[in-house]
Amino acid sequence: MIKQVSPGTERTAEDGRPPLGQLYDVGERRLWLHRSGTGATGGPAVVFLPGASAVGLDYLNIHDRISEFTTSVLYDRAGTGWSDPADLPRTAAEVATELRDLLRAAGVPGPYLLAAHSLGGAYARRFAQLFPGDVAGVLYLDGFYEDMDAYMPERLQLARVRQPDPGPVQLSLMRPMMRRMYKRMFAGWPDGLREALVERHVSAGWWQAGVRERSNMPEIAGELKGGGDLPDVPVIVLAASGIDPGMRLLMSAKSLHAMADGNRRLYADLAGSVTRGEYRPLEGARHSTLTTDRPDDVVRAARDLVDMVAR
């Protein structure tokens, strides 16, 4: 059950202010963060790292439930969502350092349990390389893994896959379909907040931010490969076995099958790379909508990681 926004905090998409949370000064930028829960059980704060084209409030359904047993944190990277603009793409080190500075500015104590979706997985892994003492565990939500090319045929490797970047005409044609998709995704979000999210997600600005963030994935993979060791902390890998509708339009059945097979092996090995790691495939869940397709499994994994850290 998503907590309703009180009348005093409700915002609209038009006024430009965040519907929830607040902005913190980090360096020369203001970054958005929303924190709930008290961490009264002593467990680590769960910090969500969104995927490209996603923002912190996309995970509100999970955040509210996790905040019932530990602190939960949503945020927007610079250049995305309600945070200040930034030139994109950026290095993973820039993003990871920015997140650590934001958590300190907001007074969220570590170590943290990083919940990383898609491209957020790259930033979580760089955070762990740079600040190993600040990481209690990692929950991968179909997350980025720098060795993914080793599991994919050449045609699906990072440098070969062209990221979709529709022009203004194509985007205008896609917008009705996108609006329907986001309305379904956020159907349970509070009034006012739901509309703000939908309208911004279908805007050219938010779409282009996602395109730009994804544009340096080969470079990010190289950065991680040369970035040093990662801490041996508890890990749970949730892997979507379903296929995003858009992927069926962009890829052949043969390529989709090869990608699914590669992902299964990739995520099993990712979980096996630490002493306490678990691989949990989610039948029917799709990459972009994993947290709304299978919210119970995501919350259960977060709780399990909090318990693993306590042992």
Side-chain angles (χ1 to χ4, degrees), residues 87-91 94 123 212-217 220:
D87 290 335
L88 301 175
R90 296 191 294 164
T91 67
E94 288 176 306
Y123 303 137
R212 290 194 295 270
E213 277 205 307
R214 286 189 292 267
S215 67
N216 70 333
M217 289 196 295
I220 285 179

Side-chain angles (χ1 to χ4, degrees), residues 22 25 49-51 73 111 116 142 147 156 186 217 223 233 244 297 301:
Q22 65 184 86
D25 291 322
L49 287 77
V73 176
D142 234 32
D147 290 330
L156 295 179
F186 305 134
M217 289 196 295
E223 180 184 351
V233 295
D244 284 8
D297 294 282

Side-chain angles (χ1 to χ4, degrees), residues 3 48 55 69 80-81 175 182 197 203 214 229 254 264 287:
K3 298 171 185 176
F48 285 85
V55 299
F69 58 86
T80 73
R175 191 167 282 120
Y182 284 117
L197 271 176
S203 69
R214 286 189 292 267
D229 295 332
K254 181 179 180 181
R264 281 191 291 270
H287 175 79

Side-chain angles (χ1 to χ4, degrees), residues 32 48-60 74-83 88 115-121 123 141 178 181-182 185-186 189 197 200-202 205-214 287-291:
W32 177 86
F48 285 85
L49 287 77
S53 298
V55 299
L57 286 173
D58 293 1
Y59 307 90
L60 184 64
L74 305 176
Y75 94 107
D76 291 339
R77 293 183 287 273
T80 73
W82 277 275
S83 287
L88 301 175
H117 182 206
S118 191
L119 183 59
Y123 303 137
L141 307 171
M178 293 168 57
M181 180 189 75
Y182 284 117
M185 281 181 62
F186 305 134
W189 273 236
L197 271 176
R200 288 188 173 235
H201 266 298
V202 302
W206 276 28
W207 178 272
Q208 281 299 316
V211 170
R212 290 194 295 270
E213 277 205 307
R214 286 189 292 267
H287 175 79
S288 298
T289 56
L290 185 152
T291 54

Side-chain angles (χ1 to χ4, degrees), residues 8-207:
T9 60
E10 186 171 314
R11 298 287 183 263
T12 67
E14 288 74 22
D15 66 15
R17 292 176 293 173
L20 286 176
Q22 65 184 86
L23 296 168
Y24 293 86
D25 291 322
V26 178
E28 297 180 352
R29 298 189 180 100
R30 297 176 308 157
L31 301 178
W32 177 86
L33 180 144
H34 177 51
R35 174 184 183 180
S36 300
T38 62
T41 60
V46 176
V47 180
F48 285 85
L49 287 77
S53 298
V55 299
L57 286 173
D58 293 1
Y59 307 90
L60 184 64
N61 60 325
I62 307 297
H63 165 89
D64 280 346
R65 293 175 60 182
I66 289 175
S67 70
E68 294 174 0
F69 58 86
T70 194
T71 299
S72 183
V73 176
L74 305 176
Y75 94 107
D76 291 339
R77 293 183 287 273
T80 73
W82 277 275
S83 287
D84 277 355
D87 290 335
L88 301 175
R90 296 191 294 164
T91 67
E94 288 176 306
V95 174
T97 303
E98 170 188 87
L99 173 57
R100 189 189 195 216
D101 291 345
L102 172 60
L103 292 169
R104 288 182 168 184
V108 183
Y112 312 105
L113 197 163
L114 305 178
H117 182 206
S118 191
L119 183 59
Y123 303 137
R125 291 179 69 76
R126 194 70 179 113
F127 189 103
Q129 288 176 333
L130 293 171
F131 315 114
D134 286 338
V135 180
V138 183
L139 172 58
Y140 292 100
L141 307 171
D142 234 32
F144 182 99
Y145 184 29
E146 63 271 17
D147 290 330
M148 61 193 311
D149 278 352
Y151 296 84
M152 299 293 168
E154 185 176 356
R155 67 184 183 279
L156 295 179
Q157 293 182 359
L158 290 172
R160 297 290 299 273
V161 176
R162 182 181 177 186
Q163 297 299 323
D165 184 9
V169 175
Q170 293 93 331
L171 186 58
S172 67
L173 295 173
M174 294 170 57
R175 191 167 282 120
M177 178 272 293
M178 293 168 57
R179 184 174 281 109
R180 289 193 297 271
M181 180 189 75
Y182 284 117
K183 283 183 176 179
R184 287 194 299 270
M185 281 181 62
F186 305 134
W189 273 236
D191 293 343
L193 172 55
R194 177 178 56 253
E195 290 77 14
L197 271 176
V198 171
E199 291 309 311
R200 288 188 173 235
H201 266 298
V202 302
S203 69
W206 276 28
W207 178 272

